[in-house]
C-alpha cells in the first residue's frame, strides 16, 4: 500500500541542530538554504534504521546496486546510456563542482557562468586561482512576473582565449528556468566550437513543476557533448537528504574520468559516508511515490506564492519557476529596495537568501524557499507584506 505523505504537517527542527533553522534567532522564520521542511520518504527512514541496527559503520567502498539503479534510471528518464563505471560518487554537489574546476581547469583560466547564479559557481574558480567570465541572463517581465532568457550573442562574446570551462545550472538556481533542447543545443555548439569543458549542475532535475516539461541533461545531446561534459546530480534536493551527503558525477570521457578517480583515491575529493549510500539507494529504488506526491504540492505552493505576490505585494516581481522549490523576487521598486534582505530580517523577522550573493543581477532581489508547509509559506509572505507596509 502506498504511503500518503502529509506535506502540510509541521515538523519542528530547531532541536535537530538544523543549519537552516538555527542560524537565526528563534523568532526569525528561515526561508533561505535549499533544504525542505518535509520528512524524507518512509523507505529511506526504514533503510537507515535497518543500517543502524546492523551496528557496524566501517569504510564502505561504493555500492554496485546503486550504480546499476542509476544506470537504469538515467536511461529510463532521459534515454541516456551510461556505464556503471562512468558514475563517480561524491559527497556533495559543491564538492563535485570544486573538484571539476580544480581537475579540468588550471590557474589563470576563466570559467564562464550565467548570473544571477548559485553562489558556489562564483566561489569555486577563485578557490583555484581561476577567474570568472560572466554572460548574464536577460531579464524580461510581464506585469509582476519575471522571465529569464539566454543572450547567446553575449554568451559567446564573453568567451576569450583564456576561457576553459562553462558551468551550466539546469534547472537554473535561482531563476527556476528549465532550458529547452534548442537552447541546450546552441549552448553545446558554442562550447564545442570553443573547446570548453562543460560542468552541468542538474541537481534540481527531478523537481519539475510544469507537468508538460521534461528535464534534458546537456550530455544527452550527443557523444561529442557527452565527452566534454561532467554532469552533477544528487538525491539531496528531491528527497530532502542533503545532510546525508551522497551525490554523483557522470563522466564519460576516459581522461576526465581517470582524473576524477585519482582525486578520489588521493583523498582530495570527499567520499560518501555509509548512511549516505543507504539513503540514496533507498530513495532511488523506492522513492517515486513520494516524488509523485511532492511535485503537485510544490506546484501548488509555487502558484500560491505567485498569486500572493500579484494580489498583496505591489511593486514586487517574481519568477514562476518551471522547476525547483526556489522563487526569485525583485524588490527594487519597493520601499526597501536599498537592502531587501536586511529589512526583511530586521523588521519582518523572515530570512530569505540575499540576492547579492548570486552575483551581478542579484542586487535588490531575494531568493525564497517555498519547500515548506503551506502555512509556513503564507506566514513568510505575510511577514514580507507587513515589512513593506511598515
Amino acid at each position: 500500500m502506498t504511503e500518503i505523505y502529509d506535506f502540510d504537517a509541521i515538523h519542528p527542527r530547531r532541536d535537530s541542530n538544523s543549519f537552516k533553522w538555527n542560524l537565526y534567532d528563534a523568532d526569525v522564520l528561515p526561508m533561505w538554504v535549499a533544504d525542505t521542511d518535509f520528512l524524507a520518504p518512509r523507505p529511506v527512514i526504514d533503510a537507515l534504521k535497518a543500517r543502524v541496527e546492523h551496528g557496524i559503520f566501517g569504510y564502505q567502498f561504493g555500492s554496485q546496486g546503486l550504480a546499476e539503479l542509476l544506470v537504469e534510471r538515467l536511461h529510463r528518464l532521459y534515454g541516456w546510456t551510461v556505464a556503471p563505471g562512468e558514475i563517480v560518487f561524491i559527497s556533495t554537489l559543491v564538492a563535485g563542482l570544486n573538484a571539476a574546476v580544480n581537475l579540468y581547469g588550471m590557474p589563470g583560466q576563466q570559467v564562464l557562468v550565467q548570473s544571477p547564479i548559485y553562489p558556489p559557481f562564483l566561489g569555486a574558480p577563485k578557490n583555484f586561482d581561476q577567474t570568472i567570465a560572466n554572460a548574464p541572463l536577460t531579464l524580461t517581465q510581464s506585469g509582476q512576473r519575471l522571465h529569464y532568457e539566454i543572450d547567446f550573442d553575449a554568451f559567446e562574446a564573453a568567451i576569450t582565449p583564456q576561457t576553459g570551462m562553462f558551468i551550466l545550472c539546469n534547472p537554473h538556481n535561482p531563476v527556476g528556468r528549465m532550458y529547452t533542447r534548442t537552447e541546450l543545443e546552441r549552448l553545446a555548439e558554442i562550447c564545442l566550437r570553443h573547446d570548453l569543458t562543460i560542468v552541468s549542475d542538474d541537481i534540481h532535475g527531478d523537481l519539475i513543476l510544469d507537468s508538460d516539461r521534461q528535464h534534458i541533461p546537456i550530455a544527452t545531446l550527443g557523444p561529442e557533448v557527452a565527452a566534454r561534459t561532467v554532469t552533477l546530480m544528487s538525491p539531496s534536493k528531491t528527497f530532502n537528504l542533503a545532510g546525508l551527503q551522497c551525490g554523483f558525477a557522470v563522466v564519460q570521457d576516459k581522461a576526465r574520468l581517470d582524473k576524477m578517480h585519482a582525486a578520489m583515491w588521493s583523498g582530495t575529493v570527499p567520499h560518501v559516508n555509509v548512511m549516505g549510500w543507504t539513503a540514496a539507494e533507498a530513495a532511488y529504488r523506492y522513492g517515486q511515490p513520494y516524488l509523485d506526491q511532492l511535485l503537485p504540492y510544490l506546484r501548488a505552493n509555487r502558484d500560491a506564492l505567485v498569486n500572493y505576490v500579484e494580489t498583496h505585494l505591489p511593486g514586487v516581481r517574481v519568477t514562476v519557476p518551471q522547476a525547483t522549490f526556489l522563487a526569485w523576487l525583485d524588490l527594487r521598486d519597493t520601499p526597501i529596495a536599498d537592502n531587501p534582505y536586511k529589512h526583511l530580517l530586521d523588521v519582518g523577522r523572515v530570512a530569505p537568501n540575499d540576492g547579492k550573493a548570486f552575483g551581478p543581477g542579484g542586487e535588490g532581489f531575494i531568493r525564497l524557499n517555498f519547500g515548506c508547509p503551506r502555512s509556513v509559506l503564507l506566514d513568510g509572505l505575510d511577514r514580507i507584506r507587513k515589512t513593506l507596509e511598515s
Side-chain angles (χ1 to χ4, degrees):
M1 182 176 177
T2 300
E3 174 144 358
I4 304 301
Y5 292 95
D6 182 7
F7 297 112
D8 282 321
I10 304 293
H11 302 284
R13 298 182 62 191
R14 290 195 187 275
D15 291 338
S16 66
N17 291 318
S18 164
F19 182 41
K20 178 180 181 179
W21 281 84
N22 288 48
L23 183 67
Y24 297 99
D25 293 338
D27 66 329
V28 173
L29 182 64
M31 304 186 77
W32 62 293
V33 69
D35 69 16
T36 70
D37 291 318
F38 307 131
L39 293 183
R42 175 52 55 185
V44 172
I45 297 171
D46 291 342
L48 290 169
K49 286 180 178 178
R51 189 65 184 83
V52 168
E53 287 301 316
H54 180 267
I56 299 175
F57 308 104
Y59 297 114
Q60 179 171 336
F61 178 70
S63 169
Q64 187 62 28
L66 178 56
E68 292 172 354
L69 189 63
L70 290 172
V71 167
E72 184 278 330
R73 179 183 179 84
L74 295 173
H75 190 269
R76 172 169 45 85
L77 292 178
Y78 312 121
W80 189 5
T81 300
V82 175
E86 295 170 338
I87 298 174
V88 182
F89 291 98
I90 53 178
S91 59
T92 67
L93 182 137
V94 173
L97 177 65
N98 276 272
V101 171
N102 183 28
L103 294 172
Y104 311 128
M106 61 182 63
Q109 275 194 335
Q110 285 183 336
V111 176
L112 180 60
V113 301
Q114 296 170 299
S115 70
I117 192 62
Y118 180 49
F121 281 43
L122 303 171
K126 298 175 184 177
N127 292 337
F128 304 102
D129 297 320
Q130 300 176 43
T131 58
I132 294 168
N134 187 24
L137 296 173
T138 299
L139 173 62
T140 60
Q141 67 180 75
S142 176
Q144 287 179 253
R145 300 188 179 195
L146 302 176
H147 183 72
Y148 283 83
E149 295 283 350
I150 300 170
D151 181 335
F152 288 98
D153 292 335
F155 182 86
E156 187 156 17
I159 299 171
T160 74
Q162 288 72 47
T163 310
M165 179 180 294
F166 166 49
I167 309 180
L168 170 67
C169 195
N170 180 38
H172 191 281
N173 174 7
V175 309
R177 270 299 314 276
M178 290 178 63
Y179 292 121
T180 65
R181 180 174 295 276
T182 299
E183 288 173 315
L184 293 170
E185 286 173 344
R186 191 161 179 191
L187 286 173
E189 186 277 324
I190 294 171
C191 290
L192 287 170
R193 188 153 35 83
H194 290 274
D195 195 26
L196 303 187
T197 295
I198 302 170
V199 178
S200 184
D201 166 6
D202 292 45
I203 198 169
H204 291 280
D206 291 321
L207 296 173
I208 307 307
L209 303 184
D210 291 339
S211 57
D212 61 338
R213 296 293 301 274
Q214 171 67 41
H215 175 58
I216 305 171
I218 195 170
T220 64
L221 296 183
E224 283 188 311
V225 183
R228 65 176 56 247
T229 300
V230 175
T231 305
L232 302 173
M233 294 179 161
S234 172
S236 62
K237 307 304 180 188
T238 309
F239 303 106
N240 203 23
L241 306 177
L244 291 170
Q245 299 195 334
C246 181
F248 62 96
V250 180
V251 189
Q252 296 186 282
D253 171 71
K254 186 177 185 306
R256 290 185 175 89
L257 184 62
D258 289 346
K259 276 192 172 185
M260 184 70 81
H261 281 306
M264 298 293 294
W265 279 108
S266 72
T268 57
V269 179
H271 288 268
V272 177
N273 69 73
V274 171
M275 305 309 281
W277 291 116
T278 301
E281 184 163 352
Y284 283 129
R285 192 175 298 282
Y286 304 116
Q288 190 61 45
Y290 174 95
L291 183 56
D292 289 342
Q293 295 173 57
L294 174 66
L295 292 179
Y297 192 88
L298 290 178
R299 186 181 308 124
N301 267 9
R302 176 200 65 182
D303 295 345
L305 186 155
V306 172
N307 180 67
Y308 190 103
V309 169
E310 294 180 325
T311 305
H312 300 294
L313 302 181
V316 177
R317 292 178 287 271
V318 63
T319 54
V320 184
Q322 298 166 323
T324 82
F325 47 81
L326 305 167
W328 185 241
L329 281 72
D330 180 0
L331 286 86
R332 292 175 298 172
D333 288 339
T334 71
I336 62 172
D338 60 313
N339 195 334
Y341 166 78
K342 187 175 188 305
H343 286 289
L344 291 172
L345 180 60
D346 292 347
V347 178
R349 309 306 283 164
V350 59
N353 283 98
D354 188 348
K356 288 188 291 188
F358 295 80
E363 302 85 353
F365 287 74
I366 59 169
R367 190 188 74 172
L368 196 75
N369 179 345
F370 58 87
C372 57
R374 194 153 306 131
S375 61
V376 175
L377 171 61
L378 294 175
D379 181 9
L381 293 170
D382 283 342
R383 294 181 188 217
I384 294 173
R385 175 181 57 79
K386 291 173 183 176
T387 304
L388 297 175
E389 290 174 352
S390 68

